[in-house]
Amino acid sequence: MTISENPLRSLLAEKGVLLADGATGTNLFEMGLVSGDAPELWNVEHPERIALLHRRFIEAGADIVLTNSFGGNAYRLKLHQAQSRVAELNEAAARIARAEADASGREVIVAGSIGPTGEVLQPVGALGAEDAQAAFAEQAQALARGGADVLWIETMSSKEEVAAAVAGAAVAGLPIVCTMSFDTHGSTMMGVTAKDFVAFERQLPQRLSACGSNCGVGAAEVVAGMLNMSRHAEPGTVLVAKGNCGVPKFVDGAIRYDGTPELMAVYARLALDAGARIIGGCCGTTPEHLRAMRNALEAHARAAPPTMDEVEAQLGDVTRGAKALWQGVEADPAAPRRGRGARGAARTAP
């Protein structure tokens, strides 16, 4: 597929920077989803609620909406006795998002969300690469049939699962985006750093339309990941930043993310300066947060990349590992993570 045939690259060439949407799961909990239930079942049980969430993000300014299909592979759905419904649930997810995008009156890209299997791949775990690839292919083909423009692989931790997901998604013939979650000393829980990821992406048989970071331990860490990625990525690589809305806290029996719209606006500007060209929110990010990010991006001209000190001063502490990678040294994996200090807490208080 050429850039002119790739809707993601075409819209990016037109607008310069794209705004991806916010959280799916945490917003659905506010709409009545019960912890432990599969959000994907709502694509057929409560499609109007899924449509409403997409509509709210589009109205807030999103250029990209991710389908409600993060856990839509057979391995994850098996936990809910729904492994035989992969095609049904993923097609429905894409159709709902497609309808809202088409009704918006402007170009909005539908990204078919593909999350991890929840299994550990060989050689560390028991799941074989071919079986994982087949599961990802089944999901990707269903999302394509439902009307997705691109396939969006997210929250990955291992190179093995990235390779299986990209190979599986490739059979659908759509552009592919992939993000990893750097949440442990500047690396994924399987030890992959931002530098490792961009080097590994260059080795994939199917090159990505964009790559980056999502979720993790807060907006500061995602911006740090962008600084590390942009330093080592090939020229022209499209980087994605989709950070959590502050940090999670247990409040009144539920997990709440403490990031304000003002904090997420600062994050959006810093992510742009750090090299991201697709910027969105992950856990905890509401349409209100996204609207603040839209306004911030429209009012901001890209500036020089921030230093880690500047990131910490505005967003909160960055883990020692991420800072060490930025400084060009390898961090001690056994080193304790820095706690979030008063600066970060003061800027993310609700």
Side-chain angles (χ1 to χ4, degrees):
M1 177 175 288
T2 66
I3 289 179
S4 63
E5 297 169 328
N6 182 329
L8 185 69
R9 291 296 184 106
S10 296
L11 191 59
L12 195 57
E14 175 188 332
K15 302 188 73 169
V17 59
L18 300 181
L19 182 66
D21 64 7
T24 298
T26 51
N27 281 294
L28 293 184
F29 287 134
E30 295 296 322
M31 299 170 75
L33 182 69
V34 176
S35 180
D37 287 351
E40 294 75 21
L41 294 176
W42 272 28
N43 294 327
V44 294
E45 294 174 357
H46 299 290
E48 73 288 349
R49 299 183 195 179
I50 305 302
L52 177 60
L53 181 58
H54 290 318
R55 193 177 315 134
R56 287 172 174 169
F57 279 131
I58 291 170
E59 290 171 351
D63 299 304
I64 303 169
V65 290
L66 274 61
T67 58
N68 178 38
S69 55
F70 176 81
N73 63 72
Y75 291 96
R76 291 287 291 269
L77 290 175
K78 186 177 181 179
L79 300 174
H80 307 278
Q81 294 76 52
Q83 64 269 30
S84 64
R85 302 178 66 184
V86 171
E88 173 197 6
L89 296 175
N90 283 276
E91 286 185 37
R95 283 197 304 269
I96 295 167
R98 177 82 274 153
E100 292 302 318
D102 291 346
S104 69
R106 60 184 176 87
E107 186 172 1
V108 175
I109 290 171
V110 174
S113 173
I114 297 175
T117 60
E119 306 290 328
V120 179
L121 270 67
Q122 297 174 352
V124 177
L127 181 62
E130 290 185 1
D131 290 335
Q133 182 176 325
F136 288 124
E138 180 185 24
Q139 184 180 11
Q141 289 171 314
L143 290 166
R145 289 193 299 269
D149 296 305
V150 303
L151 297 171
W152 192 287
I153 301 164
E154 56 179 331
T155 325
M156 290 288 164
S157 295
S158 75
K159 293 178 182 179
E160 292 80 10
E161 190 156 29
V162 167
V166 171
V171 304
L174 296 178
I176 301 171
V177 174
C178 182
T179 59
M180 300 191 83
S181 182
F182 303 102
D183 53 10
T184 309
H185 304 299
S187 66
T188 72
M189 67 178 181
M190 299 301 286
V192 182
T193 67
K195 178 182 177 181
D196 295 335
F197 184 28
V198 291
F200 179 67
E201 189 275 332
R202 290 194 289 270
Q203 302 169 11
L204 291 171
Q206 173 77 24
R207 294 298 299 273
L208 303 175
S209 291
C211 63
S213 173
N214 79 293
C215 203
V217 291
E221 198 77 4
V222 168
V223 174
M226 288 301 97
L227 289 169
N228 285 325
M229 278 193 169
S230 60
R231 175 175 292 182
H232 299 287
E234 287 182 331
T237 300
V238 176
L239 297 181
V240 180
K242 213 167 187 285
N244 288 347
C245 184
V247 294
K249 295 183 177 181
F250 197 68
V251 180
D252 296 330
I255 297 295
R256 306 288 182 186
Y257 285 80
D258 63 3
T260 63
E262 293 76 18
L263 176 110
M264 293 303 282
V266 172
Y267 148 73
R269 292 192 293 267
L270 289 174
L272 180 63
D273 293 344
R277 296 184 64 195
I278 300 174
I279 299 167
C282 203
C283 301
T285 308
T286 69
E288 181 184 6
H289 294 102
L290 204 74
R291 185 172 286 107
M293 293 166 64
R294 171 89 278 167
N295 293 337
L297 289 172
E298 289 182 350
H300 182 66
R302 179 173 283 179
T307 66
M308 285 293 177
D309 285 345
E310 290 170 335
V311 173
E312 289 195 304
Q314 297 183 68
L315 295 178
D317 287 339
V318 173
T319 57
R320 183 178 299 176
K323 289 200 289 187
L325 290 168
W326 180 72
Q327 293 163 349
V329 298
E330 294 298 324
D332 178 1
R337 294 169 70 169
R338 291 185 59 184
R340 296 193 173 266
R343 289 175 301 165
R347 285 167 174 77
T348 57

